[in-house]
Amino acid sequence: MELTNEKVRCLIIGSGPAGYTAAIYASRANLSPVLYEGIQPGGQLTTTTEVENFPGYPNGVTGPELMEDLKKQALRFGADVRSGIATASDLSSSPYKITIDGEKVIETDTLIICTGATAKYLGLPDEAKYAGMGVSACATCDGFFYRKKNVAVVGGGDTACEEAIYLAGLAKQVYLIVRKPYLRASKVMQERVFKTPNIQVLFEHNTIGLFGENGVEGAHLVKRLGEPDEEKVDIAIDGFFLAIGHKPNSDIFKPWLETDEVGYIKTIEGTPRTKIPGVFAAGDVADPHYRQAITAAGSGCKAAIEAERYLSL
Ligand code: NDP
């Protein structure tokens, strides 16, 4: 198949806070950026409810609203925002080549990778078996289907607590399945969980399978797995939500860029610069530490400034 080509000065991949902030800065610097939205337009924040910690919103803002605002701001300065997914990359020499949807190649002088991260699963065959039938990695997307039902959330971090609290407002009973004897989440989130009467935290529990005829009807758990007092526990649930962290979306760049053992793109410390001149990585795809909307936005800004400087050399 003959792939069509287009040449641009600045290509941004991804439409989370990093991508849109890079687009705002790159447009204002006259780089005429083209931004491809990727698999999840608006990024991970479109699956959150309230964002209370993004500076400038004293009363909070919903994730989708914040992303819509960022998009509007990028469009206002002329960013060319397109739907499409980057499916391959060739960063062997400049101009760098990115294939979109397997059918079009964009050649670019500068590339800003803001592809973010994707929810992780436990790796149980039952997760695939019940996909779309009771298994979900996004409470705010799918919680609605579990009104007055019983659900479980797996994980002990801020995401798991946030999802459990959100689901507790809809469901009858929420089990929070935590593999350690404590929560990793911030103190404020922990307190909210403990104060919510219909959340039961199951510490030191691991999920080994799911069961049900035409969808999830329950989960097989093991308490204190591998210990002498190990105990099998079954819970009756209609929904099983994963909140155990994320995997950076860096696979198509791995032949060219260095990543850490998890897959986060390595950048030169304190900058979004990769080892390839003119190629930058910003936001969650390059951030194993902070992973916040505001830090992603900050790194997107840095990447656009770097791109502008690189082009003016
Ligand atoms: P985290 O990496 O912080 O937590 C992941 C949780 O999942 C941990 O409790 C971990 O357990 C558990 N886990 C991982 N793998 C497995 C497994 N195979 N089986 C069972 N449990 C597992 O991810 P989050 O998504 O919660 O948060 C990511 C970042 O985003 C954090 O920095 C967080 O603070 C931030 N965040 C902030 C929010 C806010 O401020 N409102 C909201 C959401 C996220 P263990 O502890 O045993 O490793």
Side-chain angles (χ1 to χ4, degrees), residues 27-91:
S27 316
R28 287 171 54 83
N30 282 337
L31 304 188
S32 310
V34 169
L35 178 151
Y36 277 94
E37 290 182 316
I39 295 171
Q40 189 174 33
Q44 291 178 71
L45 277 186
T46 56
T47 65
T48 5
T49 43
E50 208 65 27
V51 179
E52 293 177 332
N53 51 13
F54 199 90
Y57 292 91
N59 302 316
V61 60
T62 69
E65 250 181 292
L66 174 59
M67 294 322 300
E68 205 41 51
D69 282 351
L70 285 173
K71 181 176 181 175
K72 276 190 206 147
Q73 200 171 346
L75 290 171
R76 181 180 150 210
F77 297 111
D80 183 349
V81 176
R82 304 175 183 177
S83 59
I85 297 164
T87 48
S89 77
D90 176 357
L91 309 185

Side-chain angles (χ1 to χ4, degrees), residues 54-219:
F54 199 90
Y57 292 91
N59 302 316
V61 60
T62 69
E65 250 181 292
L66 174 59
M67 294 322 300
E68 205 41 51
D69 282 351
L70 285 173
K71 181 176 181 175
K72 276 190 206 147
Q73 200 171 346
L75 290 171
R76 181 180 150 210
F77 297 111
D80 183 349
V81 176
R82 304 175 183 177
S83 59
I85 297 164
T87 48
S89 77
D90 176 357
L91 309 185
S92 55
S93 61
S94 176
Y96 307 112
K97 296 171 195 65
I98 301 295
T99 308
I100 304 294
D101 296 331
E103 59 189 26
K104 178 182 171 91
V105 173
I106 306 281
E107 295 187 358
T108 185
D109 295 323
T110 59
L111 174 66
I112 304 180
I113 302 167
C114 307
T115 43
T118 301
K120 280 201 283 200
Y121 286 78
L122 294 170
L124 301 171
D126 284 342
E127 289 170 319
K129 181 175 166 191
Y130 294 104
M133 296 165 65
V135 173
S136 167
C138 176
T140 47
C141 317
D142 302 326
F144 182 76
F145 303 114
Y146 300 95
R147 276 180 303 171
K148 309 234 177 346
K149 295 189 173 176
N150 298 327
V151 297
V153 177
V154 185
D158 280 320
T159 304
C161 290
E162 200 174 65
E163 306 240 312
I165 293 161
Y166 175 75
L167 287 167
L170 294 164
K172 188 161 78 185
Q173 172 71 42
V174 179
Y175 298 100
L176 185 58
I177 305 170
V178 184
R179 65 180 175 185
K180 293 215 174 111
Y182 56 86
L183 292 171
R184 178 202 288 240
S186 56
K187 282 280 172 286
V188 57
M189 292 304 277
Q190 294 194 23
E191 275 164 26
R192 283 187 200 169
V193 163
F194 294 135
K195 269 204 240 151
T196 308
N198 60 338
I199 299 179
Q200 185 181 346
V201 185
L202 302 174
F203 286 113
E204 294 184 272
H205 281 69
N206 277 278
T207 313
I208 54 165
L210 301 169
F211 58 89
E213 286 291 316
N214 296 312
V216 172
E217 289 172 15

Side-chain angles (χ1 to χ4, degrees), residues 209-227:
L210 301 169
F211 58 89
E213 286 291 316
N214 296 312
V216 172
E217 289 172 15
H220 299 299
L221 312 181
V222 179
K223 186 176 180 186
R224 293 180 53 78
L225 185 70
E227 299 297 323

